[in-house]
Amino acid sequence: MKKKILVAGGTGYIGSHTTVELQQAGYDVLIIDDLSNSNIEVLDGIERITGIRPEFVQLDLKDKEGTRKALQEHPGVEGVILFAASKAVGESVQQPLKYYRNNITTLINILELMPEFNMKGIVFSSSCTVYGQPDPENLPVTENAPIKPATSPYGNTKQINEEIIRDTIHAGAPFKSIILRYFNPIGAHPTAEIGELPNGVPQNLIPYLVQTAIGIRKELSVFGDDYNTPDGSCIRDYINVVDLAKAHVVAMNRMLENKSDDKMEIFNLGTGRGVSVLELVNTFEKATGVKVPHKIVGRREGDIEQVWANPEKANNVLGWKAEESLEDTLKSAWNWQLKLRERGIQ
Ligand code: UFG
C-alpha cells in the first residue's frame, strides 16, 4: 500500500513541486492549505503532470480542531512536510504578530497532533536566513555555522521554529524530524504546469525579473553595486525548485525507513555556487535571448551581502545533489511566465 504524506501548504510554490515529486515517487498526498497565498487551480497543474489529484482540504492550520478533523477524515498519514507559513520578509517587519501567530501556532499544532495520528516524521522548511551574514571564514556555510540574531520577524520565526522542534524532540517526542535550510529557491516545473505565483508586486528577484522581461514591469532595480563582492552586487545560492522538492522526498524516505538513528537532523539545501545579481541577469539574458532592462539603485535595507551553501552534508548523507544548471532553471522560470501570459493570468 502507498504511504500517505500530509503536505501542509501544498498548493504553494515549493509545496506544489514537492507534491509532484512525492506522487512520482509512489506516495499518496494529502494537502492542507488555506489558499491564503495560493490558488486552487494549482491542483489541476499537479494532476496534469502526474495524472493524480492529491486529496485536498482547505483549512487554516492554526485551527487545531479543524486539522484534527481533517486528519480523522483522511486517515493513514505517516509523515508531514510543513511548508505552510508566511514568508515575506518586508511584510513581517510591518506585521510581526501575523508572522509569529501563523508560523509558530501552525508548527505547535502539527507537533501536538503528530503522536495522536502515529506520524513518524516531520520535514520542516527552514531557511539560510538563520545564518544571517556569515563571517568570511564561514563561507560557504555549513550546518555548523553560528546562528546569527535574526534581522526580521520572519527570520526569527524560522529560528524559533527550529528551537521548538529541537526541544520537542529532546523531550522524547515519538517521531523524527529533518530540518531543511533552503538557500534561494527559483524556477518552475519543466512542464510549466506549476510555478511561483507572487501576489501583487514581487519582492523577490526572479519573479520581478521575469515580469520585467515580459514587460509587466518597466525595469528591474538591482539593489546595490557597492558591496564587497567581485561585481559589487549581492551573492546568493540559487537552487532549482524541482531539485529542492526532490530533497524532501529523500528526507521523508529516510525517516519512514529509519535510515538514521538521529531523531533530528539539519541539512543545507543549495548548489554550493554563489551567483551575483548582475551575473544572474546576464545568465538569464543569455539563456533566453530576452533582455532585462535594469538599473542600479541603492542597497535594500536588511540585505545580506553574500551567502552560499556548503551542501556536502546533504550530498553525502542524504545522497541528494542539486542537478539542474542555472541556465535551464532560469529558462524554466521564463517558460512559466510565458504560460501565465498565455492563460491571461499575469
Ligand atoms: N534583488 C534585487 N532586486 C529586486 C529583488 C531582489 O536586486 O527587485 C536582490 C536582492 O538584493 C538580493 C537578491 O536579489 O541580493 C535576492 O533577493 P530575494 O528577495 O529574491 O531573496 P533574499 O535573498 O532576500 O531571501 C529572502 C529571505 C529568505 C526567503 C527568500 C524568499 O532571506 O529567507 O527571501 O522569500 F526564503
Side-chain angles (χ1 to χ4, degrees):
M1 220 183 78
K2 284 185 175 181
K3 292 181 175 164
K4 192 188 291 182
I5 306 301
L6 166 61
V7 181
T11 50
Y13 174 43
I14 307 172
S16 56
H17 289 81
T18 300
T19 297
V20 164
E21 295 306 315
L22 284 166
Q23 289 179 331
Q24 290 181 335
Y27 285 103
D28 279 334
V29 174
L30 165 64
I31 291 178
I32 299 183
D33 200 305
D34 64 357
L35 301 178
S36 60
N37 194 24
S38 61
N39 193 304
I40 190 74
E41 277 137 42
V42 170
L43 297 179
D44 300 332
I46 293 170
E47 191 177 356
R48 280 195 293 271
I49 299 170
T50 64
I52 307 164
R53 199 168 182 86
E55 293 175 47
F56 175 73
V57 177
Q58 182 174 351
L59 178 82
D60 182 340
L61 289 146
K62 292 198 294 300
D63 173 1
K64 187 174 169 188
E65 274 316 306
T67 308
R68 179 181 281 131
K69 194 159 159 276
L71 290 167
Q72 284 162 349
E73 287 170 0
H74 298 264
V77 169
E78 295 196 29
V80 52
I81 306 183
L82 177 51
F83 296 105
S86 299
K87 61 163 190 173
V89 177
E91 185 189 58
S92 80
V93 177
Q94 304 302 323
Q95 300 179 50
L97 294 178
K98 172 178 167 182
Y99 277 67
Y100 288 114
R101 182 176 286 280
N102 281 352
N103 295 5
I104 291 171
T105 312
T106 297
L107 174 65
I108 293 173
N109 286 349
I110 296 269
L111 293 176
E112 285 179 342
L113 288 168
M114 284 178 71
E116 278 183 42
F117 291 88
N118 291 317
M119 292 189 211
K120 299 189 184 75
I122 176 167
V123 177
F124 180 74
S125 296
S126 190
S127 166
C128 68
T129 192
V130 300
Y131 300 118
Q133 175 60 66
D135 296 332
E137 67 272 19
N138 288 328
L139 278 171
V141 264
T142 68
E143 292 77 0
N144 297 324
I147 301 299
K148 296 276 179 73
T151 53
S152 71
Y154 160 76
N156 204 24
T157 64
K158 291 294 171 194
Q159 294 193 4
I160 295 169
N161 284 328
E162 289 197 4
E163 285 166 11
I164 290 173
I165 294 172
R166 185 175 295 115
D167 291 345
T168 307
I169 294 289
H170 180 76
F175 51 78
K176 290 184 171 180
S177 71
I178 293 185
I179 290 172
L180 300 178
R181 291 180 180 155
Y182 312 152
F183 283 68
N184 286 55
I186 63 165
H189 198 269
T191 59
E193 293 289 359
I194 53 173
E196 190 170 8
L197 246 186
N199 275 341
V201 180
Q203 305 295 313
N204 294 118
L205 179 60
I206 297 302
Y208 204 103
L209 186 156
V210 292
Q211 289 195 6
T212 306
I214 207 163
I216 297 172
R217 313 276 158 211
K218 199 166 131 270
E219 60 188 349
L220 170 73
S221 297
V222 173
F223 297 137
D225 69 348
D226 56 353
Y227 285 100
N228 185 24
T229 60
D231 67 20
S233 63
C234 291
I235 291 176
R236 297 286 183 276
D237 185 335
Y238 295 95
I239 168 150
N240 180 285
V241 68
V242 176
D243 278 338
L244 188 77
K246 288 178 177 160
H248 294 74
V249 179
V250 178
M252 187 52 78
N253 282 338
R254 183 173 173 83
M255 291 189 295
L256 297 188
E257 290 168 18
N258 271 317
K259 287 186 185 160
S260 163
D261 290 336
D262 294 336
K263 293 198 72 188
M264 174 170 154
E265 293 178 293
I266 300 179
F267 296 98
N268 284 343
L269 296 183
T271 67
R273 178 179 168 210
V275 174
S276 76
V277 178
L278 290 171
E279 249 182 279
L280 194 99
V281 172
N282 279 333
T283 310
F284 179 89
E285 291 183 338
K286 277 201 198 112
T288 62
V290 182
K291 285 277 161 212
V292 183
H294 60 279
K295 63 171 181 210
I296 310 288
V297 301
R299 295 181 176 195
R300 178 171 72 176
E301 203 190 321
D303 255 338
I304 301 296
E305 177 176 274
Q306 45 188 326
V307 62
W308 69 98
N310 178 333
E312 279 171 23
K313 186 177 174 200
N315 297 165
N316 298 334
V317 178
L318 289 181
W320 165 93
K321 199 169 188 304
E323 304 279 357
E324 278 300 327
S325 67
L326 185 59
E327 286 77 6
D328 284 347
T329 302
L330 291 171
K331 269 197 242 170
S332 73
W334 177 236
N335 288 337
W336 168 243
Q337 181 60 55
L338 291 172
K339 188 64 143 306
L340 289 176
R341 165 66 48 94
E342 204 179 289
R343 292 199 198 138
I345 299 172
Q346 266 174 1

